[in-house]
């Protein structure tokens, strides 16, 4: 889709597209994990907060990364860096729980952080 945008031309940036897809998917995974945490018998309030915060940052990052009308490079870079940092915080929080859904979400957050950082170097 990004490559088909009239303003993109030959500058489709596959690594940025990968980071956007991962961020969108991570947002959904974090939201799903938050829902699973609600069903857990223990107090998962801090975990819920981490997942929901991460989901919001990831969703915003994905939206800005695929919006290619005009140029807002600095905002995209800032959001990619913020997304990577928030994902790392969320990964650390979720890794502290033994629940399978938390472990899976932790893995997704680490992958999202890595993709965001990888794509940062490719944005001009």
């Amino acid at each position: 889709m990004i490559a088909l945008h009239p303003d993109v031309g030959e500058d489709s940036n596959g690594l940025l597209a990968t980071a956007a897809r991962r961020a969108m998917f991570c947002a959904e995974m974090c939201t799903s994990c938050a829902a699973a945490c609600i069903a857990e018998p223990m107090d998962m309030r801090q975990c819920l907060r981490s997942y929901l915060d991460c989901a919001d940052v990831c969703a915003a990052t994905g939206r800005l990364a695929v919006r290619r009308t005009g140029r807002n490079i600095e905002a995209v870079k800032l959001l990619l860096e913020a997304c990577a940092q928030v994902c790392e915080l969320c990964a650390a929080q979720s890794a502290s729980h033994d629940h399978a859904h938390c472990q899976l979400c932790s893995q997704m957050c680490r992958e999202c952080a890595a993709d965001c950082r990888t794509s940062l170097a490719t944005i001009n």
Side-chain angles (χ1 to χ4, degrees), residues 55-122:
D56 287 345
V57 171
C58 285
T61 301
R63 283 193 301 271
L64 259 70
V66 299
R67 189 180 307 147
R68 299 301 294 264
T69 298
R71 303 206 30 103
N72 199 356
I73 292 170
E74 289 307 312
V76 172
K77 285 182 175 181
L78 287 169
L79 222 60
L80 285 167
E81 183 56 41
C83 188
Q85 290 179 9
V86 171
C87 280
E88 287 170 355
L89 291 171
C90 189
Q93 172 68 39
S94 56
S96 68
H97 298 284
D98 290 332
H99 309 297
H101 56 88
C102 290
Q103 294 300 311
L104 183 60
C105 198
S106 179
Q107 176 185 342
M108 175 55 58
C109 287
R110 285 190 302 273
E111 291 172 5
C112 185
D115 283 348
C116 285
R117 289 227 163 87
T118 298
S119 71
L120 267 170
T122 68

Side-chain angles (χ1 to χ4, degrees), residues 43-55:
D43 180 5
M44 301 286 287
R45 282 182 285 181
Q46 188 55 45
C47 210
L48 280 163
R49 175 65 187 256
S50 293
Y51 290 135
L52 295 176
D53 289 350
C54 191

